[in-house]
Amino acid sequence: MAVAGITFENVTKRYGAVVALDQFNLTVAPGEFMTFLGPSGSGKTTALNILAGFTGITEGDVRIGEKSVVQLPPEQRNVGMVFQSYSLFPHLTVFENVAFPLRLRGERGASLETKVRGALAMVHLEDFGKRMPNELSGGQRQRVAFARAVVFEPPVLLMDEPLGALDLKLREQMQLEIKRYHQQLGCTIIFVTHDQGEALTLSDRVAVMRDGKIAQVDTAQDIYDRPSTRYVAEFIGRTNLFEIEQGQGNGWSIAALGTQMAPLDGHGAAGRTLSVRPEKIRQIGQGDPDASIVFDARVTDVVFQGDHVQYQAVTSGGAPLTFQEHRGHGARLQQAGDALRLGFDVADAVPVQNQ
Amino acid sequence: MTYKLKLMPAAAVTLALLTGPALAQDKVLTIAGSGGAVKDATEQIFLPAFTEATGWSTKFVAAESNIMLEVETMLKAGNMLYDAMEVSASAYPTGVQNGFLAPIDYALLDPDNTLPEAAKKEFGVVAAAYSTVLVQRLDKNPEGRKMESWADFWDLETFPGPRSLKRQPQYTLEFALLADGVAKDEIYEVLGTDEGLDRAFAKLDEIKDSIPVWWTSGAQSVQLLSDGEVFYSTTYNGRVNKLQESGIPVEIMWNGGALHTSYVGIPKGAPNYEMAHEWIRVRTMRPELEAEYVKFLPYPNFAPGLFDTMTEEQAAQMPTFKANADAQFVADEEFWAANIDRIQERFDEWLLF
Amino acid sequence: MKRISLIWLLLPAVLLLAAFIVMPTFDLIRASIFDPDFTFKHFQRLVERGVYIDVMWRTVRVSLIVAVICTIVGYPVAMFINLQPKKRQVALLFLILIPMWMSVLIRTFAWIVVLGREGLINDLMIGLGMTDGPVQMLYTSGTVITAMVQIMLPIQIITCYSAMTEIDLDLMRAARVLGARRWQALTRVYLPLSYDGTLTGLVIVFMMSMGFFITPALLGGRQDMMIANLIEFQVQHLNWSFAAAIGIVLLVLTVSMILLLRWTGRFAFRRLLNVGR
């Protein structure tokens, strides 16, 4: 299968005075699984529709492979697409739905039959060819939509919140399926979602979007561990944000914790905030190794979540924070009101831009 | 007061509901007639006079469609709601044949025998005379010419231009025969034979292409003339005044017109048979009332001494004015009642091909 | 229990149908074959006299032409409306519905004003020197069909439109991105999905046209007779039995034509789905 990369070059899309996409730049490598993650109105769907050819652009260039597709209508772009509502053709059987793109490409007879059967087999629906879409469950429809989108072996596959309509369990199952398909097919995938869990599970890289711009594009792990802005840190997972100020000498002072720390990088504290993930904060007690930053706090709330416990606490400086403990052997559950000594390693603290 | 509770057609039920409160007062005469101008004139002139003469009040029902249809329905339901009614020229033979009408008691109505014979029929008294006549747009005529006979109507060279006739064989075939030279008093004799019928249709063939439209209602014939859709058309004499009043130069050709008489009659099973005769007396035998009526509508009857109340000019507009009546022929409604089915089919076929 | 109680919801409709449709229909059948004794003479007359069969055929032909023109004209209009933003759709539908507030009679008369010998169009054409004398447009079959189309068109547009509102417009995008050109998306997705509603509209227009009465009488020439005009004549002359017989034949004819239209419609639909296979 031919695989192609994707390039957005200074793409701007304006609707009247509203800017949906603002100087958007992104390069997606061939075969990469790229997720556009963001709240509604962040421009992720606009970017997808521009790729599909449903939406024109105001400025810039969009290329699939080496070829600019700005002037091409959707049918000439040769991309597969899976819609949030599946968009299966209700008047056609499952077989004919999957055969639809092949027929348009002049495929006939045995070759068509083989390809459709193959695509249906990949999504485990070999025996459903004669059914009508309304006779299928949500998950099955999703699979048919997928089979239809890839049966003509497009170099690029676009997925617009494809799992949004499924319940949690099915969604998790389908995530694994999609991962498997990606490995099997090797095509470039652009996946749009507002679900960060989905984004982290599936993607090679995630583009976190905000107001028509990319806030950060990185691997899933780096997006989580090394958020560049306060927005990204808050949007992905939970985090504690502590104000920092330039303290005496070169150090940073953290008012909320009543402590100081050495600067983490060459930049100053101005315009930045410290982000510490809840699971990076731990109890400092007898026998526990010390941490670089240590402070006192009092538990205000305990949320039991099975394999782990989430605590709300207030520092002695009056700042609220969240931390999380895995329930390994012998871990004791704290009560609200308990006074604790907490700490984290500076290596786990990330200074983020105040954006 | 008792109602017969029977399953009856919806129309009769509705009528019963409408007329119910009136029946409750007992001394009410229910009269059916056509709506529009006839209704207005009747309500202004005859109904108050009747109440004055008898002390009875009246209920005038303007029939939506064919009165005979309503009478038939009421007879079937066994509940006659009308005491008296208008009987149009063509409805009279139908009513008689089907036995829908009660005979008029002339000893009761006209003991002194003042009505002329022409006014008296077994099942009705003439209430109005009217004519189907040719009306021409004077402004569309060729310079100095004017149609004076049906032969002129058929003369496409002297009088080119679109014409219209009623979309029915009665009072159409007669005109064709007149144009073809048949004498007035032989029309129905000729029309009664197959050859005569052929002759009438053959004559119609001559002008078939000059008749873009065949009218189906009196209102339509007037509209055709007033819009200039046609220059010549048959219509009812009573419609012409309105045209003239609106400034359209039209003139009646009385020569060869068809004279009809419509009647006032009593349906079989009428609840107030005797009082209905009082109504007929008011409607047909009071010249001073009729003189008022013909000022509205030039449809006179045979009220004794009616013409003495009119000016010469007024009288000349009446279809029964001596000169006008002499120029016309009397339409034979019995002939048509007996033959319409057969001839209508042929007429429709003739229209189609 | 639940099913039984739900059946009561249909009771008013069933009673209404029974009292005003089913019983009168049986009465019509009775009237057509008892006069007063059992007889087929009315049906015999119908068949023997060419005029009735001929007028029936003309009625079917005019109704079919009107239904087909309404479909060809109405479908794109309905589609245009359906593809507008929601607010504009409401406004456009409102405009489509306005003529339906006017009686058929008035709408018919409007044509007389426009198409008459001394009407708007002739005045204009003579004024512009396009023609010497007035052109006869009124009292022709073309005018009858034009006026009937004008009267029926809103019904077809509304029926088509309501079928189209059921179509998920994302399906069109899906078709495009899967490789369909604009017209292919139209013929393979939009058309099949709006097909049933359109066919229903066509059938409704056909059915209503079969009973048309005033418009052909006022705008038609001598040949534009419809079967309803003949029935009216027979009723006016109290020939109930014969009128009933014509009515029965009209009913049977209309129902069979509808079945035929549906059947051909289905057949054409299957052919449509097979395009490109």
Side-chain angles (χ1 to χ4, degrees):
Chain A
M1 170 186 291
V3 178
I6 293 164
T7 312
F8 286 90
E9 200 176 282
N10 288 323
V11 175
T12 298
K13 173 66 187 174
R14 275 190 284 270
Y15 294 98
V18 181
V19 182
L21 220 52
D22 188 6
Q23 294 285 313
F24 188 83
N25 281 293
L26 182 69
T27 305
V28 183
E32 190 174 18
F33 196 123
M34 169 67 80
T35 297
F36 292 169
L37 175 67
S40 55
S42 61
K44 58 187 195 301
T45 302
T46 304
L48 196 76
N49 285 339
I50 285 171
L51 262 183
F54 300 148
T55 304
I57 61 175
T58 317
E59 287 163 26
D61 192 21
V62 180
R63 289 191 293 275
I64 294 177
E66 296 305 313
K67 194 175 161 197
S68 171
V69 295
V70 173
Q71 301 299 329
L72 290 183
E75 65 270 20
Q76 288 176 32
R77 298 193 176 195
N78 204 32
V79 297
M81 186 156 180
V82 180
F83 294 81
Q84 181 172 12
S85 53
Y86 317 136
S87 293
L88 296 182
F89 303 123
H91 59 297
L92 298 178
T93 60
V94 166
F95 184 95
E96 281 306 324
N97 262 282
V98 178
F100 190 88
L102 294 176
R103 290 195 190 284
L104 288 166
R105 286 165 173 76
E107 202 89 52
R108 294 279 183 283
S111 143
L112 174 126
E113 183 98 10
T114 312
K115 286 187 177 172
V116 173
R117 300 254 169 260
L120 285 175
M122 185 181 78
V123 297
H124 310 302
L125 289 172
E126 297 95 324
D127 302 328
F128 287 71
K130 290 207 170 77
R131 301 262 188 109
M132 298 306 279
N134 62 8
E135 296 167 339
L136 302 180
S137 71
Q140 288 168 335
R141 284 181 215 186
Q142 179 59 67
R143 287 162 202 265
V144 176
F146 191 87
R148 186 181 66 178
V150 300
V151 68
F152 58 102
E153 305 186 352
V156 170
L157 177 61
L158 311 178
M159 303 180 88
D160 184 10
E161 310 225 13
L163 307 179
L166 301 178
D167 63 46
L168 182 66
K169 207 152 189 179
L170 209 52
R171 200 151 68 215
E172 285 172 349
Q173 196 187 325
M174 281 306 293
Q175 284 174 14
L176 296 176
E177 287 283 311
I178 289 172
K179 247 187 144 145
R180 183 171 67 80
Y181 302 152
H182 181 226
Q183 282 156 8
Q184 219 169 316
L185 298 168
C187 63
T188 311
I189 293 184
I190 304 288
F191 188 97
V192 161
T193 184
H194 63 271
D195 184 316
Q196 39 143 325
E198 227 164 79
L200 299 180
T201 309
L202 291 170
S203 325
D204 294 325
R205 280 198 301 159
V206 178
V208 180
M209 303 202 39
R210 182 191 191 186
D211 299 336
K213 286 184 175 151
I214 292 180
Q216 185 174 358
V217 55
D218 247 322
T219 63
Q221 194 190 337
D222 278 350
I223 288 276
Y224 188 82
D225 287 344
R226 300 272 139 214
S228 60
T229 66
R230 192 175 163 144
Y231 172 80
V232 174
E234 280 188 300
F235 192 78
I236 312 282
R238 292 163 185 281
T239 198
N240 294 293
L241 293 166
F242 302 112
E243 306 284 329
I244 48 177
E245 281 169 21
Q246 204 69 37
Q248 285 138 357
N250 212 14
W252 296 349
S253 89
I254 310 169
L257 305 181
T259 175
Q260 290 242 352
M261 63 183 282
L264 284 173
D265 49 27
H267 304 286
R272 302 215 284 178
T273 303
L274 206 61
S275 162
V276 185
R277 298 289 184 191
E279 69 274 15
K280 306 291 188 194
I281 299 178
R282 60 181 189 273
Q283 286 189 59
I284 308 296
Q286 305 90 336
D288 278 337
D290 205 356
S292 351
I293 308 286
V294 175
F295 52 92
D296 290 317
R298 192 164 42 76
V299 175
T300 57
D301 204 5
V302 183
V303 182
F304 179 70
Q305 292 191 322
D307 58 342
H308 69 273
V309 187
Q310 190 163 302
Y311 295 104
Q312 306 291 330
V314 183
T315 64
S316 50
L321 62 82
T322 305
F323 72 99
Q324 200 170 291
E325 261 186 9
H326 260 275
R327 300 184 65 222
H329 43 269
R332 190 179 72 85
L333 222 58
Q334 303 292 335
Q335 307 287 318
D338 289 356
L340 297 173
R341 191 154 181 77
L342 301 175
F344 57 85
D345 295 328
V346 277
D348 291 330
V350 185
V352 295
Q353 300 287 333
N354 281 344
Q355 290 174 359
Chain B
M1 180 194 65
T2 56
Y3 284 109
K4 283 181 195 160
L5 281 175
K6 274 189 171 180
L7 192 65
M8 57 178 113
V13 176
T14 319
L15 279 164
L17 291 174
L18 285 171
T19 53
L23 286 176
Q25 300 167 14
D26 256 352
K27 292 187 137 190
V28 175
L29 198 77
T30 307
I31 302 152
S34 37
V38 171
K39 175 176 190 263
D40 295 343
T42 306
E43 281 180 340
Q44 267 187 50
I45 298 160
F46 296 113
L47 297 184
F50 174 77
T51 303
E52 199 182 306
T54 60
W56 280 47
S57 54
T58 53
K59 176 156 191 67
F60 189 86
V61 181
E64 289 296 332
S65 59
N66 187 335
I67 298 178
M68 276 303 158
L69 286 180
E70 297 182 354
V71 168
E72 185 184 19
T73 309
M74 291 178 206
L75 281 171
K76 274 186 187 160
N79 189 3
M80 178 51 62
L81 300 165
Y82 297 154
D83 291 309
M85 62 190 190
E86 257 177 49
V87 182
S88 72
S90 57
Y92 182 80
T94 316
V96 174
Q97 274 167 20
N98 289 290
F100 295 161
L101 296 172
I104 304 295
D105 184 348
Y106 281 100
L108 184 67
L109 178 74
D110 186 22
D112 303 333
N113 208 10
T114 57
L115 275 172
E117 283 309 307
K120 298 194 280 191
K121 289 265 194 171
E122 194 181 352
F123 293 93
V125 181
V126 171
Y130 63 96
S131 299
T132 305
V133 285
L134 177 69
V135 170
Q136 50 189 322
R137 282 278 297 254
L138 295 174
D139 55 331
K140 308 279 187 187
N141 267 333
E143 201 57 44
R145 294 299 304 263
K146 180 158 105 173
M147 283 195 184
E148 277 163 6
S149 70
W150 286 109
D152 285 345
F153 187 80
W154 256 258
D155 181 354
L156 299 173
E157 273 174 35
T158 316
F159 299 97
R163 298 143 152 76
S164 185
L165 289 169
K166 190 168 185 187
R167 190 186 207 131
Q168 63 175 31
Q170 62 266 53
Y171 334 130
T172 296
L173 297 185
E174 288 100 321
F175 301 146
L177 288 181
L178 285 175
D180 207 29
V182 174
K184 277 196 296 180
D185 49 3
E186 284 167 11
I187 292 173
Y188 291 101
E189 206 177 306
V190 173
L191 216 46
T193 63
D194 284 346
E195 302 78 51
L197 214 51
D198 291 346
R199 190 172 161 189
F201 278 110
K203 191 72 185 167
L204 276 178
D205 280 338
E206 293 176 14
I207 56 166
K208 199 172 190 177
D209 292 336
S210 291
I211 303 190
V213 50
W214 295 74
W215 58 271
T216 52
S217 69
Q220 191 191 3
S221 63
V222 170
Q223 172 248 321
L224 291 173
L225 284 165
S226 101
D227 289 355
E229 286 299 334
V230 299
F231 304 164
Y232 313 98
S233 178
T234 51
T235 188
Y236 304 119
N237 69 295
R239 299 268 181 180
V240 177
N241 283 355
K242 282 267 153 58
L243 269 177
Q244 287 166 335
E245 277 164 25
S246 56
I248 292 161
V250 288
E251 193 180 283
I252 289 177
M253 180 185 91
W254 290 103
N255 184 25
L259 185 60
H260 318 272
T261 42
S262 70
Y263 309 89
V264 52
I266 304 171
K268 201 169 258 179
N272 301 295
Y273 176 75
E274 285 181 15
M275 191 48 73
H277 284 77
E278 287 301 318
W279 164 249
I280 296 175
R281 199 196 314 281
V282 169
R283 181 65 189 83
T284 64
M285 297 171 66
R286 299 267 297 267
E288 80 286 6
L289 297 177
E290 185 66 13
E292 284 301 307
Y293 182 77
V294 295
K295 282 182 195 161
F296 283 98
L297 295 159
Y299 296 144
N301 60 21
F302 293 111
L306 172 63
F307 273 82
D308 302 342
T309 66
M310 289 186 228
T311 63
E312 183 76 10
E313 195 193 348
Q314 231 185 327
Q317 292 182 23
M318 300 295 143
T320 47
F321 180 66
K322 180 92 175 48
N324 296 343
D326 288 349
Q328 299 175 72
F329 66 92
V330 177
D332 187 343
E333 314 296 351
E334 263 99 14
F335 172 84
W336 283 116
N339 294 292
I340 183 64
D341 247 24
R342 175 174 64 90
I343 298 179
Q344 179 78 39
E345 272 174 359
R346 177 158 178 191
F347 183 75
D348 284 342
E349 248 165 290
W350 179 83
L351 283 179
L352 287 176
F353 300 106
Chain C
M1 221 25 226
K2 202 169 187 184
R3 190 166 297 166
I4 291 170
S5 57
L6 280 179
I7 280 176
W8 291 105
L9 294 175
L10 293 177
L11 190 67
V14 168
L15 286 180
L16 204 71
L17 276 176
F20 294 106
I21 305 286
V22 179
M23 277 173 42
T25 305
F26 275 111
D27 201 49
L28 207 64
I29 295 170
R30 186 198 52 73
S32 70
I33 51 178
F34 287 94
D35 186 25
D37 298 318
F38 181 78
T39 173
F40 270 127
K41 68 176 179 200
H42 297 299
F43 288 100
Q44 212 173 337
R45 175 176 167 194
L46 249 175
V47 177
E48 280 168 4
R49 300 304 302 256
V51 62
Y52 300 101
I53 303 295
D54 193 76
V55 172
M56 292 255 182
W57 166 234
R58 279 165 200 260
T59 308
V60 169
R61 197 177 54 192
V62 167
S63 304
L64 262 185
I65 292 173
V66 169
V68 168
I69 295 179
C70 276
T71 306
I72 293 171
V73 177
Y75 188 90
V77 175
M79 183 167 159
F80 174 81
I81 296 175
N82 187 42
L83 297 179
Q84 298 298 312
K86 201 80 219 165
K87 253 192 191 154
R88 201 177 301 163
Q89 286 186 25
V90 175
L92 287 171
L93 283 177
F94 181 75
L95 290 179
I96 297 285
L97 283 172
I98 285 178
M100 298 194 75
W101 299 345
M102 278 176 258
S103 83
V104 171
L105 195 63
I106 290 173
R107 281 188 275 167
T108 301
F109 270 116
W111 284 104
I112 295 179
V113 175
V114 175
L115 298 179
R117 283 177 69 89
E118 297 173 6
L120 283 176
I121 293 183
N122 266 321
D123 276 1
L124 195 74
M125 288 202 298
I126 293 169
L128 294 175
M130 290 163 69
T131 163
D132 291 336
V135 175
Q136 186 72 46
M137 288 177 285
L138 274 187
Y139 315 119
T140 60
S141 303
T143 299
V144 173
I145 288 169
T146 309
M148 283 173 74
V149 165
Q150 184 236 0
I151 290 165
M152 288 297 178
L153 196 54
I155 296 171
Q156 176 68 286
I157 292 175
I158 299 292
T159 321
C160 278
Y161 169 80
S162 64
M164 288 174 184
T165 52
E166 304 285 311
I167 300 176
D168 176 5
L169 291 181
D170 273 351
L171 292 177
M172 297 293 283
R173 300 176 137 208
R176 292 296 298 281
V177 81
L178 289 170
R181 290 163 195 278
R182 210 179 278 273
W183 63 269
Q184 285 174 318
L186 196 73
T187 53
R188 293 180 189 214
V189 178
Y190 199 85
L191 209 58
L193 288 175
S194 52
Y195 192 87
D196 239 21
T198 307
L199 190 61
T200 302
L202 187 136
V203 166
I204 291 175
V205 170
F206 172 78
M207 212 162 64
M208 292 176 75
S209 300
M210 286 290 282
F212 249 65
F213 176 74
I214 293 174
T215 307
L218 287 181
L219 299 182
R222 60 186 160 86
Q223 294 175 319
D224 298 300
M225 240 178 264
M226 300 276 275
I227 198 68
N229 301 88
L230 294 189
I231 295 178
E232 195 257 354
F233 171 82
Q234 296 300 337
V235 170
Q236 285 300 329
H237 288 78
L238 307 187
N239 294 336
W240 291 107
S241 287
F242 190 51
I246 307 178
I248 295 290
V249 174
L250 174 63
L251 185 69
V252 170
L253 190 66
T254 307
V255 171
S256 358
M257 278 305 295
I258 290 170
L259 292 177
L260 186 70
L261 282 175
R262 285 243 159 242
W263 183 80
T264 11
R266 295 258 157 71
F267 179 73
F269 184 63
R270 278 196 295 274
R271 291 296 299 269
L272 180 72
L273 284 188
N274 277 322
V275 169
R277 247 172 236 185

